[in-house]
Amino acid sequence: MSETTAHATRPESATSIRLPATILGVGLGGFVDGIVLHQVLQWHHLLSSTGSDRVGIREYPVDTVPGLQMNTLWDGLFHVVTWVAVLTGLALLYSRVTSSRGRLWRSPMLWGWALIGWGLFNLVEGVIDHHLLGIHHVRSGPNQLWWDLGFLALGVVLIAVGWAIQRRARAVDLCAPERR
């Protein structure tokens, strides 16, 4: 069986960049959250609302050294997870590119799916950590519900924009019979 024939019979999921780009977007979205909200703006840390959470985790106030140490540890573990997501997305993307010789994806396809992944990150992390567990909020205080809802709304917007972008992109297969 020739490489062209093998390529033609492979399922679309084996050659699509949908999954790798989405996982990459989840990791990059997590990095934006962790770097911008946790470190630069310092609006919250992973456990900054413990003590008033919904699962009974011991309080780790960010204005004490032990509390900040625990929050920094959990922020670091969060970054490890986002880093693994980025590496996984890149590894899957590399395997798709190297096993699909001749198949090219235009960048809107990659970035559209990456935006969808970032939006999915916002929705999952926002619903679980902000609303269900209550272990932190985007910005604690009197308007924290609005900040949390805004974070979810941003996730929906990212998914919608990503979907629109990737829909207009097409893959090009240089090995397809009609191209020869």
Side-chain angles (χ1 to χ4, degrees):
M1 180 183 290
S2 73
E3 183 180 9
T4 305
T5 307
H7 174 72
T9 61
R10 294 173 68 195
E12 172 66 21
S13 62
T15 60
S16 172
I17 63 167
R18 193 174 303 144
L19 180 63
T22 302
I23 293 172
L24 183 62
V26 167
L28 293 174
F31 273 137
V32 169
D33 179 285
I35 293 168
V36 174
L37 299 179
H38 295 217
Q39 296 173 329
V40 175
L41 297 175
Q42 297 180 18
W43 283 0
H44 70 260
H45 296 281
L46 202 65
L47 301 178
S48 58
S49 292
T50 54
S52 63
D53 61 275
R54 291 180 180 79
V55 289
I57 298 173
R58 185 179 141 215
E59 185 175 12
Y60 295 105
V62 296
D63 57 352
T64 67
V65 173
L68 192 55
Q69 287 174 325
M70 185 60 75
N71 273 284
T72 302
L73 170 67
W74 280 94
D75 284 352
L77 294 173
F78 171 75
H79 278 108
V80 167
V81 170
T82 60
W83 182 57
V84 167
V86 167
L87 291 178
T88 301
L90 289 174
L92 288 171
L93 185 61
Y94 178 78
S95 74
R96 302 289 163 91
V97 170
T98 57
S99 67
S100 301
R101 300 260 186 236
R103 186 174 174 105
L104 305 172
W105 295 276
R106 292 185 166 84
S107 63
M109 188 174 290
L110 171 68
W111 294 114
W113 284 109
L115 286 173
I116 290 170
W118 182 359
L120 289 171
F121 166 83
N122 276 26
L123 291 179
V124 171
E125 196 270 341
V127 167
I128 292 173
D129 290 345
H130 305 167
H131 296 282
L132 296 178
L133 301 178
I135 58 175
H136 70 259
H137 300 280
V138 173
R139 190 161 190 183
S140 293
N143 296 315
Q144 74 185 23
L145 177 61
W146 291 108
W147 286 102
D148 290 347
L149 292 174
F151 189 79
L152 294 175
L154 175 61
V156 170
V157 168
L158 289 167
I159 290 170
V161 169
W163 184 258
I165 289 171
Q166 68 80 31
R167 294 237 338 134
R168 65 183 173 88
R170 297 288 175 249
V172 177
D173 192 343
L174 300 175
C175 295
E178 64 272 4
R179 281 238 172 233
R180 292 167 148 198

